[in-house]
Amino acid sequence: MASPCSRFLLSPSREISVDGIVLLSDVPTNLTLSSVSSVPRSLDNNDSDPPPEYMLKSVKSNAKNGAFLGLSVKDPLDRILNPIGNFNNRKFLSVFRFKPWWSTMWIGSSGSDLQMETQFIVLQVPEINSYVLILPLIEKSFRSAIHPGVNGEVVLCVESGSTKVKEKYFSSCMYFHISNNPYDLMRDAFAAVRVHLGTFRLLEEKKPPSIIDKFGWCTWDAFYLTVEPVGVWHGVKSFAENGLPPRFLIIDDGWQSINLDHENPLQDLKDSTIGSQMLCRLYRFKENEKFAKYQNGTMLRPDAPGFDQEKHDTMVIEEANFIEYLTEHEGVERGGLKALVNDLKKEFQGLDDVYVWHALCGAWGGIRPGTTYLNCKVTPTKLVAGTEKTMLDFAVERIEKVGIGLVDPNQAADLYDSMHSYLSDSGITGVKVDVINSLEYVCEEYGGRVQLAKAYYDGLTKSIIKNFGGKGIIASMEQCNDFFFLATKQISMGRVGDDFWFKDPNGDPMGVYWLQGVHMIHCSYNSLWQGQFIQPDWDMFHSDHLCAEFHAGSRAICGGPVYVSDKVGRHNFELLRKLVLPDGTVLRCQHYALPTRDCLFENPLFDGKTLLKIWNLNKFGGVVGVFNCQGAGWYPEEHKIKAHPECYKTMSGFVSPADVEWEQKDFTAEYRNNELFAVYLQKAGTFYLTKACDEMNITLEPSSFEIFTVSPVYRLSDKVEFAAVGLVNMFNSGGAVEFVEYKISEKKNLTAVIKIKGSGKFLAYSSMKPKQIKLNNVSTEFEWTSEIGLLKFEVPWTGGKFSDAHILIGN
């Protein structure tokens, strides 16, 4: 079956090829391959978010680079497992669900090397210097995923999630796309799918939450379920008193009114043991008693209660004894969450946003029937076929045990508006929505997983628009393709990695170290596809952890918000000041961090040779972070992630300015043609001038890293070359450079004009010694090293305003 409109071909000999290169052999006869233009767009009738015109034009111009796979079977089925062909001896990169709600990368060279519940495959096609994406889609009431087969076989799983919803014909349940650039591949392919489906919007079409370039604190690891107002207050205070005020706060699980089915339906859960909340249901939309009893101004008074983290941990977490922090004053009304938020913002005026946690279904166990006005019933949960080989998960076991109190899908919008309108009125500006991928467990009676998800995600979208300005949401435990295809019309930020585990929950003492590298692999490779839909959020970490610097280095260049979950008073402020400015903002990169090309088809976790390299872009330069993540990984035979101690060792590699994908932003694309770059190594403190394709060697100990700031060198005259590098005291040095312009005076003097965000020692390269440097209109001293042209000067803190540097060089 040939198509003049597509580079892909399904031949009479049952081979799928692209430009004559065979990708899949032995393709079954019940499969079809169609050009993009020949398959009707699968839009909702009430699609309110048509693609922008520029995207339609781009997709149309790239249509020949894509093709849709169709499938038909003899009898209607609710779950179809159908081979789509086989391949061997061709490198691939994939992402699969290793837990029901978390995914990670996997590589191999055969269809049999794939893992269950694979979300996408990228094939390397060196014969034509290209890459091919194989992407399972949603169609009608079905979603698709990829499973491994025998002898190189690739198996497509198309399922509705309900034995009552069956189909036998699909025209576009999978999509193929080709490009000679792996990053363009993902962007162009997902744009084509966005135009085709009309059920989601891409990240580029949405505005991210205001927390994206700010520093924050999450309460989870400080308190777990024992979170309460006094601890929250002192947590924010401990940062602010040390000159690093959080600009956002996330009050995590533990603030809601939940209880167990056998308990009084109108009283809070008394058990604060981790895991007890997973058996509970929400019985009211307001905060629990711990927060409800807070009275206006309580923590502003001179006799406000203190907080001792060590005592709290011992009595509440270890001994399960409740500490009564708040004393209610007679004659004073309860103010609850609203009063607490008001007092926090009054005392800590830089605190812009306060988010709270909730599960997609309200709480882990949903809503308790009969306690709200909503039509709700406890729905038994069923583990999805195909996920039985994912990692054993404590949360899954608990959800399976008690089921989910599921609100009628027709009332999903009412559920979210009831929760969010109350929160918004209390001063809450956003929500962290967790346990998102739980709907697949309870979809049997509700038209299947796609229809149930549509109802819930549409309701969530409406509420986010109404109550949180359309932006105040972080998605979590959401890493399954039907979430991204159905929920992201409005959601613009989400977690791209499993939780930050500060130690191995299974007891491996080395997990303190190797789990941190695993986290970085999750985040960087997942961002390849999830970053098309949402701003990747790399999750919190502890600033006083053994691997805190390792995490800090990655967060500095991840392109998203930076937040920690430190216990009260247990902080490493020296480290945090390399990430966070005194006003609580961060030097954020302009893209989201992704693995470099030479890492895409390698295994930086346990191949014993590969360093993880991630690239990102600043406004006037690039950055490459290099991390030794070796030492652990997925064990398919045991369905778990565990140590590879033989790989936890020193590794060597190289970095080049060519590692930066300059073309991924229009404003940096011109740097691809630059001949010379100034490169600064943040941890080593060393500086190089290097050509575009030159390689710099790097050797790293286990769980260590280096950050290469890469700045284009401008040739301003025969004698003068200049490059603005950035603030060397910050991990993302180049993020401090907000503006660069070069001027020539009537006397032909050259002046570099730079706007600088932040404070500290600014580094630049100048082939000639400057005649003068004016900083904010005042002459300032500087250092210049003639041997390598290294220029340094101090930049003071200006309260958050940019500093203007005018560097008069000469001619």
Side-chain angles (χ1 to χ4, degrees):
M1 185 187 301
S3 171
C5 302
S6 176
R7 295 167 65 184
F8 290 90
L9 171 71
L10 176 55
S11 70
S13 59
R14 308 311 296 175
E15 292 177 332
I16 292 179
S17 62
V18 61
D19 294 350
I21 306 301
V22 175
L23 302 176
L24 294 171
S25 303
D26 299 321
V27 177
T29 56
N30 65 332
L31 297 178
T32 60
L33 196 67
S34 304
S35 65
V36 171
S37 58
S38 66
V39 177
R41 291 171 62 189
S42 178
L43 293 176
D44 292 338
N45 293 330
N46 60 346
D47 181 31
S48 58
D49 299 291
E53 190 62 30
Y54 78 86
M55 188 179 294
L56 287 170
K57 290 180 179 178
S58 175
V59 169
K60 185 176 181 180
S61 68
N62 281 310
K64 66 181 182 299
N65 296 327
F68 287 106
L69 187 78
L71 164 68
S72 62
V73 292
K74 182 178 179 181
D75 298 310
L77 298 170
D78 63 284
R79 188 168 189 262
I80 302 167
L81 291 171
N82 204 103
I84 65 168
N86 60 61
F87 73 90
N88 289 288
N89 301 315
R90 185 173 296 283
K91 281 189 173 184
F92 73 79
L93 163 68
S94 67
V95 163
F96 73 99
R97 288 203 284 167
F98 73 95
K99 289 184 181 180
W101 26 65
W102 300 122
S103 59
T104 194
M105 65 87 77
W106 191 252
I107 62 167
S109 58
S110 164
S112 299
D113 295 336
L114 291 162
Q115 298 298 297
M116 300 290 285
E117 278 295 304
T118 290
Q119 313 275 293
F120 72 82
I121 305 169
V122 176
L123 296 175
Q124 194 176 46
V125 192
E127 300 97 318
I128 51 175
N129 192 30
S130 295
Y131 308 85
V132 168
L133 174 69
I134 303 177
L135 183 68
L137 300 178
I138 59 170
E139 184 178 358
K140 303 175 185 177
S141 295
F142 287 69
R143 58 81 69 164
S144 299
I146 296 170
H147 295 177
V150 297
N151 300 321
E153 197 172 63
V154 181
V155 177
L156 178 63
C157 175
V158 186
E159 61 185 352
S160 70
S162 172
T163 57
K164 300 178 181 180
V165 180
K166 300 179 180 182
E167 269 286 352
K168 65 177 183 178
Y169 174 75
F170 302 89
S171 63
S172 54
C173 52
M174 177 175 277
Y175 181 65
F176 289 76
H177 200 93
I178 184 171
S179 174
N180 60 6
N181 181 307
Y183 310 99
D184 291 350
L185 173 73
M186 304 303 281
R187 183 192 66 219
D188 295 343
F190 281 96
V193 173
R194 185 266 187 265
V195 169
H196 174 68
L197 291 177
T199 55
F200 64 92
R201 290 193 297 160
L202 296 170
L203 174 61
E204 64 192 64
E205 302 177 73
K206 298 173 286 194
K207 291 184 178 180
S210 61
I211 67 173
I212 188 171
D213 56 1
K214 297 175 182 177
F215 171 64
W217 177 56
C218 176
T219 63
W220 179 242
D221 286 325
F223 311 115
Y224 302 118
L225 301 178
T226 67
V227 62
E228 47 70 51
V230 176
V232 170
W233 182 278
H234 284 278
V236 177
K237 181 182 178 183
S238 66
F239 288 105
E241 287 182 339
N242 285 276
L244 284 180
R247 296 293 292 271
F248 68 92
L249 164 68
I250 301 174
I251 301 176
D252 214 298
D253 198 356
W255 70 273
Q256 291 179 296
S257 297
I258 59 173
N259 54 35
L260 297 164
D261 288 343
H262 67 268
E263 294 182 324
N264 185 319
L266 300 179
Q267 288 185 2
D268 291 338
L269 171 76
K270 299 301 181 183
D271 183 5
S272 60
T273 306
I274 295 296
S276 61
Q277 82 278 22
M278 297 172 185
L279 302 171
C280 290
R281 313 192 201 283
L282 195 72
Y283 73 85
R284 67 178 179 186
F285 303 123
K286 297 181 179 181
E287 64 273 39
N288 57 29
E289 280 294 296
K290 292 182 297 182
F291 283 85
K293 66 172 57 176
Y294 184 85
Q295 296 172 316
N296 186 47
T298 294
M299 295 306 297
L300 298 174
R301 294 196 300 262
D303 61 344
F307 183 83
D308 184 321
Q309 180 78 66
E310 186 173 348
K311 180 179 179 182
H312 180 89
D313 289 352
T314 300
M315 294 188 65
V316 178
I317 297 177
E318 295 180 13
E319 300 177 7
N321 291 325
F322 181 71
I323 300 179
E324 191 73 58
Y325 290 99
L326 291 173
T327 300
E328 294 189 76
H329 294 261
E330 292 186 12
V332 180
E333 289 187 4
R334 288 183 165 191
L337 192 59
K338 184 173 186 176
L340 174 63
V341 172
N342 284 340
D343 285 355
L344 282 166
K345 291 188 174 182
K346 187 181 297 182
E347 179 70 12
F348 310 106
Q349 296 186 13
L351 185 62
D352 302 316
D353 289 280
V354 179
Y355 282 36
V356 297
W357 179 100
H358 72 75
L360 181 69
C361 294
W364 282 89
I367 307 296
R368 185 163 178 175
T371 59
T372 72
Y373 72 96
L374 297 169
N375 181 14
C376 171
K377 67 176 182 179
V378 175
T379 305
T381 53
K382 181 181 178 182
L383 188 67
V384 179
T387 62
E388 64 272 8
K389 290 188 177 180
T390 57
M391 187 171 174
L392 185 66
D393 192 285
F394 178 65
V396 173
E397 290 180 332
R398 294 248 152 168
I399 290 175
E400 283 189 292
K401 183 177 180 179
V402 300
I404 294 175
L406 193 68
V407 169
D408 188 309
N410 294 321
Q411 289 185 304
D414 298 322
L415 165 66
Y416 295 120
D417 188 52
S418 296
M419 291 194 292
H420 296 163
S421 60
Y422 178 78
L423 291 170
S424 179
D425 182 64
S426 298
I428 300 300
T429 55
V431 284
K432 173 184 173 183
V433 182
D434 216 346
V435 207
I436 282 180
N437 206 50
S438 55
L439 292 178
E440 69 177 10
Y441 292 109
V442 289
C443 54
E444 170 66 25
E445 301 295 326
Y446 297 97
R449 60 188 298 154
V450 170
Q451 296 307 319
L452 179 60
K454 279 184 177 180
Y456 266 74
Y457 295 148
D458 286 350
L460 180 61
T461 295
K462 290 174 183 176
S463 182
I464 295 301
I465 293 172
K466 175 188 174 185
N467 296 298
F468 300 126
K471 298 184 295 183
I473 181 170
I474 302 172
S476 181
M477 297 175 71
E478 85 291 10
Q479 293 174 10
C480 186
N481 56 2
D482 44 4
F483 165 82
F484 292 100
F485 290 141
L486 294 170
T488 55
K489 278 191 175 181
Q490 202 64 37
I491 296 174
S492 59
M493 182 177 286
R495 289 268 305 280
V496 288
D498 190 0
D499 293 350
F500 159 73
W501 294 101
F502 59 89
K503 63 180 181 180
D504 186 349
N506 298 314
D508 185 345
M510 280 299 291
V512 172
Y513 297 98
W514 60 253
L515 269 169
Q516 317 317 317
V518 170
H519 182 93
M520 289 179 197
I521 298 299
H522 294 336
C523 292
S524 54
Y525 285 86
N526 282 338
S527 293
L528 281 164
W529 69 297
Q530 295 174 20
Q532 307 301 322
F533 304 87
I534 48 95
Q535 173 62 50
D537 170 9
W538 282 47
D539 198 19
M540 58 204 175
F541 68 102
H542 297 171
S543 70
D544 66 341
H545 188 264
L546 288 170
C547 296
E549 189 179 37
F550 194 55
H551 278 282
S554 69
R555 302 309 193 276
I557 61 172
C558 73
V562 175
Y563 58 113
V564 294
S565 190
D566 293 352
K567 289 182 177 291
V568 178
R570 300 180 192 173
H571 319 289
N572 183 340
F573 287 110
E574 181 180 357
L575 175 64
L576 289 174
R577 288 189 178 93
K578 295 179 181 180
L579 285 169
V580 186
L581 299 178
D583 62 354
T585 62
V586 300
L587 301 179
R588 186 175 68 87
C589 289
Q590 300 302 296
H591 201 270
Y592 46 88
L594 293 173
T596 57
R597 291 193 192 205
D598 56 350
C599 287
L600 291 178
F601 298 92
E602 305 299 332
N603 186 345
L605 276 177
F606 58 93
D607 68 1
K609 63 178 183 178
T610 304
L611 294 171
L612 172 67
K613 296 192 297 183
I614 56 177
W615 64 268
N616 210 329
L617 301 169
N618 287 310
K619 291 181 178 178
F620 291 90
V623 60
V624 179
V626 190
F627 299 83
N628 187 343
C629 298
Q630 294 276 338
W634 178 250
Y635 274 65
E637 303 81 8
E638 299 183 36
H639 309 152
K640 66 172 62 173
I641 292 172
K642 55 186 287 189
H644 284 265
E646 73 280 4
C647 299
Y648 195 76
K649 60 184 181 180
T650 301
M651 298 282 170
S652 296
F654 65 85
V655 174
S656 169
D659 287 329
V660 181
E661 297 292 329
W662 301 109
E663 296 86 356
Q664 295 307 306
K665 289 289 184 181
D666 291 341
F667 52 80
T668 55
E670 64 181 290
Y671 301 150
R672 176 63 69 191
N673 300 319
N674 232 63
E675 296 180 0
L676 193 64
F677 290 86
V679 180
Y680 178 72
L681 279 64
Q682 208 282 331
K683 284 178 64 64
T686 53
F687 174 84
Y688 298 96
L689 284 178
T690 182
K691 293 181 180 179
C693 292
D694 284 352
E695 297 176 353
M696 295 161 282
N697 294 325
I698 180 73
T699 298
L700 293 174
E701 297 294 319
S703 303
S704 67
F705 72 100
E706 182 59 272
I707 295 176
F708 290 69
T709 297
V710 184
S711 305
V713 175
Y714 290 85
R715 181 174 289 276
L716 306 178
S717 72
D718 292 341
K719 298 180 181 179
V720 179
E721 294 177 333
F722 190 90
V725 176
L727 292 172
V728 299
N729 50 294
M730 304 297 289
F731 280 134
N732 183 25
S733 303
V737 181
E738 287 283 343
F739 176 82
V740 179
E741 184 180 50
Y742 300 100
K743 297 181 178 180
I744 303 177
S745 70
E746 293 180 0
K747 297 180 180 180
K748 296 189 176 180
N749 281 320
L750 297 168
T751 301
V753 179
I754 309 171
K755 290 187 181 295
I756 303 167
K757 180 179 181 180
S759 60
K761 189 173 289 293
F762 192 87
L763 177 68
Y765 163 69
S766 179
S767 60
M768 290 182 63
K769 182 178 181 180
K771 294 180 178 179
Q772 182 188 48
I773 295 181
K774 279 192 172 182
L775 193 58
N776 300 323
N777 295 318
V778 177
S779 292
T780 188
E781 295 182 354
F782 62 88
E783 303 173 39
W784 181 77
T785 306
S786 59
E787 292 83 5
I788 55 173
L790 209 56
L791 175 64
K792 298 178 182 179
F793 56 91
E794 288 291 332
V795 179
W797 177 245
T798 56
K801 296 180 180 179
F802 298 157
S803 287
D804 289 310
H806 288 247
I807 303 172
L808 179 61
I809 302 172
N811 52 44

